[in-house]
């Protein structure tokens, strides 16, 4: 460390030998500029700006962006969501994400998965529209990869304009050929201004190919603790905890060009590089796998609803204003409330499917259907 308890350590006996390095010289210059000019001069922390995470008014945001139920509306107007994910090993994650979107109130939910995963996902529920289009390396000859990749993209593009939001990553796996195909799908979605929520193995993909989302304001990343750690190391070249959590999240969102990041934790932190919001209401101590998949589907629905309201009505009388941030706050709050309700009933035996069944009741408690 350079500063401890407000005192520069560059001049201590153990650190004089380090002071000649270029990094330490630059840091010492910065310290002097900030007013720390000697061994015992104090660092004025009050003069430094500090990023604060403001607790979001999540329930009012939920009420503001959730559409009313109207007999005049037709199928599709309440949202059409597509999940890009699902392979041989992982079929539950895309199902959890897609069915959560329907349980919250989306009208249609699609899953684009590998051919092996499709029959399994179909068997979970007839409510989902399942497209067995994706391919993995083991089933594709090297000389056929280019032609098959183009075919996969062309098939997905046929549907793209119908979707209000994509969820990329649940159960995707890390097969190189499959990830290459998904990269092309994401590029086309971005060109078409389709919002993208990225979770699971989708975060593995974008961490290694930041250009897929960098500078795209309709992208939402939903990392858990390990996924967030890898993003911070890649983008900020430091470790988590090297600075205040809210400040670091703000720096990370800025570093990826203003994407929205929902950092999952005891309290969820959300930033688009401009503000940092916190969602700490509700929650559950039960950490069964699959809750992140529910969250991704939830954020996708609320993001699409927020965007529709903003397009239709202009400036909503709520803050923040970004549809990606609004969708993230609403999705986080609803997921946490559903988890708390499920835990009340099932305690240690709470499963992801129990939480999904509480989504409708949770939204009804906050925003009753009329």
């Amino acid at each position: 460390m350079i500063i401890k308890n407000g005192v520069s350590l560059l001049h201590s006996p153990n650190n004089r030998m380090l002071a000649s390095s270029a990094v330490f010289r630059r840091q010492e210059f910065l310290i002097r500029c900030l007013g720390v000019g000697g061994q015992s001069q104090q660092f004025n922390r009050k003069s430094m700006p500090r990023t604060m995470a403001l607790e979001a008014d999540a329930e009012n945001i939920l009420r503001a962006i959730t559409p009313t139920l109207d007999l005049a509306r037709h199928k599709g107007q309440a949202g059409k969501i597509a999940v890009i994910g699902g392979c041989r090993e992982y079929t539950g994650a895309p199902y959890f994400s897609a069915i959560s979107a329907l349980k919250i109130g989306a009208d249609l939910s699609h899953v684009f998965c590998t051919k092996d995963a499709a029959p399994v996902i179909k068997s979970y529920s007839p409510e989902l529209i399942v497209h067995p289009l994706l391919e993995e390396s083991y089933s594709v000859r090297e000389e056929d990869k280019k032609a098959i990749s183009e075919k996969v993209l062309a098939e997905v593009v046929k549907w793209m304009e119908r979707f209000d939001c994509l969820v990329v990553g649940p159960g995707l796996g890390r097969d190189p050929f499959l990830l290459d195909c998904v990269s092309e799908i994401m590029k086309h979605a971005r060109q078409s201004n389709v919002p993208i929520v990225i979770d699971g193995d989708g975060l593995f993909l974008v961490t290694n190919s930041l250009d897929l989302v960098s500078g795209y304001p309709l992208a939402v990343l939903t990392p858990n603790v390990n996924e967030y750690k890898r993003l911070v190391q890649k983008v900020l070249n430091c470790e988590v905890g090297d600075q205040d959590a809210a400040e670091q999240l703000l720096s990370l969102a800025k570093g990826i060009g203003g994407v929205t990041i929902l950092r999952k934790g005891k309290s969820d932190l959300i930033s688009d590089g401009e503000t940092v919001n916190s969602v700490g209401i509700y929650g559950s101590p039960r950490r069964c796998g699959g809750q992140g998949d529910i969250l991704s589907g939830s954020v996708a629905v609320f993001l699409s609803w927020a965007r529709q309201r903003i397009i239709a009505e202009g400036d909503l009388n709520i803050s923040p204003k970004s549809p990606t941030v609004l969708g993230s706050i609403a999705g986080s709050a609803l997921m946490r409330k559903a988890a708390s309700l499920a835990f009340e009933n099932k305690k240690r035996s709470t499963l992801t499917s129990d939480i999904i069944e509480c989504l409708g009741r949770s939204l009804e408690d906050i925003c009753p259907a009329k």
Side-chain angles (χ1 to χ4, degrees), residues 242-304:
D242 282 358
Q243 59 188 130
D244 175 75
E247 183 180 346
Q248 189 169 65
L249 178 61
L250 190 73
S251 298
L252 182 61
K254 286 182 179 178
I256 313 178
V259 301
T260 296
I261 300 175
L262 193 169
R263 179 187 176 181
K264 294 178 280 194
K266 183 178 179 180
S267 288
D268 294 338
L269 294 180
I270 299 158
S271 179
D272 59 353
E274 297 293 333
T275 61
V276 182
N277 289 271
S278 173
V279 180
I281 58 172
Y282 310 119
S284 164
R286 179 74 168 105
R287 303 308 308 150
C288 55
Q291 294 183 63
D293 304 311
I294 300 176
L295 179 64
S296 66
S298 302
V299 171
V301 175
F302 287 114
L303 193 170
S304 65

Side-chain angles (χ1 to χ4, degrees), residues 73-122:
R73 295 170 69 88
H74 58 75
K75 182 177 69 177
Q77 285 188 306
K80 302 176 291 296
I81 308 301
V83 177
I84 312 294
C87 62
R88 285 183 298 172
E89 290 86 357
Y90 308 115
T91 57
Y95 164 75
F96 290 146
S97 183
I99 202 69
S100 295
L102 288 179
K103 289 285 188 177
I104 290 170
D107 286 339
L108 296 168
S109 196
H110 298 245
V111 177
F112 291 84
C113 59
T114 65
K115 293 177 180 178
D116 289 335
V120 183
I121 297 172
K122 283 177 179 287

Side-chain angles (χ1 to χ4, degrees), residues 206-239:
V206 301
T207 299
N208 294 297
S209 303
L210 288 170
D211 58 299
L212 291 172
V213 294
S214 182
Y216 187 46
L218 293 177
V220 178
L221 313 185
T222 60
N224 61 24
V225 60
N226 291 319
E227 292 158 348
Y228 185 75
K229 178 180 178 180
R230 289 191 285 268
L231 277 169
V232 168
Q233 291 171 337
K234 179 67 178 288
V235 178
L236 302 181
N237 196 29
C238 67
E239 297 297 327

